[in-house]
Amino acid sequence: MRGSENHGGPAPLPGGSAQGGLHVAIIMDGNGRWARARGLPRVAGHRAGAQAVRRTIEAAPKLGIRTLTLYAFSSDNWQRPAQEVSTLMQLFHEYLERETPECVKHGIRLSVIGRRDRLAPELRRAIQRAEEATAGGRNLHLRIAVDYSARDAIVRAAHRVNGRRIGRAGFARLLGEAIHAGEPVPDVDLLIRTGGEQRLSDFLLWECAYAELYFTPRMWPDFEGKDLEEAVREFHRRERRFGRVLEAAG
Ligand code: IPE
Ligand code: IPE
Ligand code: MG
């Protein structure tokens, strides 16, 4: 039996998301421990983490990744020491200014997902400039999650339902609006978490319904293109069933 229209139709077939190309999401964890192991302040780990972002983006298109969603700052991360929070925001702002021209050059569309109302006005403007400048990028859709909480996003989307009868596709659209994505949220194919922890920390809870999960002990600043390649290779070894029974070929 197939899912009804009301539930947004059946899950996509194994082998990638409907748009073609993989959606990979990464919880970039372990910056603080990386720095501590070297006798450095935590913020040095965040700086080194920005280099790992660059390497990851370079490697992604060659591996068949069409959408890459990076968890940069969770809504719960506001509870960290004020100095660490302000450094993270400053690094993110610098990243946008520095990398926007690079994204344009390499056909990368950059979007930021999450709440905007608690960000500094100049950062909000930088986000808007980066999104507008890179809107034509077709090689990779890079989504950076900042002040992001999946549960808060689901609650905001639920408010927008407003008693209407909507299915999964309709809810995915509302969820996209709730995180300023401007389009329905895409299912995640592969979720990677670095840093050794095996938890979701409130990231993409709806979108990861059938994601393959991949945990690596490597700390984020040490993450390289070959680590991404290994994760994607492992993804292709998995059998995605989406609740069905797959008949053996032949
Ligand atoms: C991830 O690294 C970056 C952010 C959460 C902003 P952490 O800062 O969480 O590093 P650890 O987990 O303390 O090592
Ligand atoms: C998740 O990492 C958030 C980001 C990587 C941005 P955390 O380090 O904040 O998560 P917990 O506290 O270990 O769950
Ligand atoms: Mg952490």
Side-chain angles (χ1 to χ4, degrees):
M1 198 162 80
R2 296 165 72 90
S4 71
E5 262 309 293
N6 216 23
H7 286 133
L13 285 164
S17 54
Q19 302 91 328
L22 297 177
H23 179 192
V24 172
I26 307 183
I27 301 175
M28 309 183 290
D29 197 26
N31 295 352
R33 281 164 286 160
W34 181 92
R36 195 177 56 212
R38 286 159 180 77
L40 299 167
R42 292 178 57 82
V43 295
H46 298 317
R47 281 186 200 285
Q51 295 307 310
V53 170
R54 186 176 254 255
R55 293 194 293 271
T56 302
I57 291 165
E58 261 174 39
K62 291 171 249 168
L63 298 171
I65 298 169
R66 185 72 63 83
T67 305
L68 180 68
T69 304
L70 302 177
Y71 205 4
F73 188 88
S74 77
S75 295
D76 286 324
N77 288 150
W78 290 115
Q79 298 166 68
R80 293 187 177 200
Q83 208 241 315
E84 180 170 346
V85 169
S86 70
T87 304
L88 281 165
M89 289 298 156
Q90 188 195 326
L91 284 173
F92 176 51
H93 197 152
E94 286 170 15
Y95 178 86
L96 288 176
E97 304 286 355
R98 191 178 62 236
E99 298 297 325
T100 297
E102 290 296 308
C103 288
V104 172
K105 201 161 91 192
H106 293 107
I108 298 168
R109 174 181 165 208
L110 193 159
S111 311
V112 176
I113 59 168
R115 278 179 71 163
R116 300 253 168 120
D117 57 301
R118 297 188 288 199
L119 304 179
E122 58 274 21
L123 180 55
R124 280 207 294 271
R125 283 194 289 274
I127 289 171
Q128 202 176 339
R129 279 198 302 274
E131 289 183 334
E132 284 169 8
T134 64
R138 292 290 174 268
N139 293 336
L140 178 71
H141 186 190
L142 170 64
R143 309 192 317 154
I144 303 180
V146 175
D147 195 359
Y148 178 88
S149 154
R151 288 194 295 191
D152 287 355
I154 290 168
V155 169
R156 286 197 300 279
H159 280 300
R160 290 166 186 244
V161 172
N162 206 15
R164 285 174 291 163
R165 289 180 69 88
I166 58 165
R168 288 178 183 172
F171 194 75
R173 205 159 32 244
L174 295 180
L175 205 44
E177 286 171 17
I179 59 171
H180 297 91
E183 58 203 15
V185 294
D187 284 349
V188 172
D189 295 303
L190 169 65
L191 176 87
I192 299 170
R193 182 170 186 146
T194 62
E197 313 289 2
Q198 303 193 357
R199 55 178 172 250
L200 295 179
S201 302
D202 203 8
F203 191 42
L204 303 175
L205 299 183
W206 169 277
E207 296 90 321
C208 281
Y210 274 99
E212 296 295 329
L213 309 182
Y214 181 90
F215 301 103
T216 166
R218 196 171 307 290
M219 298 295 151
W220 177 248
D222 289 330
F223 196 79
E224 295 191 16
K226 67 174 167 40
D227 298 308
L228 183 65
E229 193 181 331
E230 178 48 40
V232 171
R233 214 191 292 275
E234 164 66 19
F235 168 82
H236 286 300
R237 283 194 286 265
R238 306 253 181 109
E239 183 183 78
R240 305 183 82 191
R241 290 190 289 277
F242 299 97
R244 304 167 209 185
V245 176
L246 294 189
E247 306 295 338

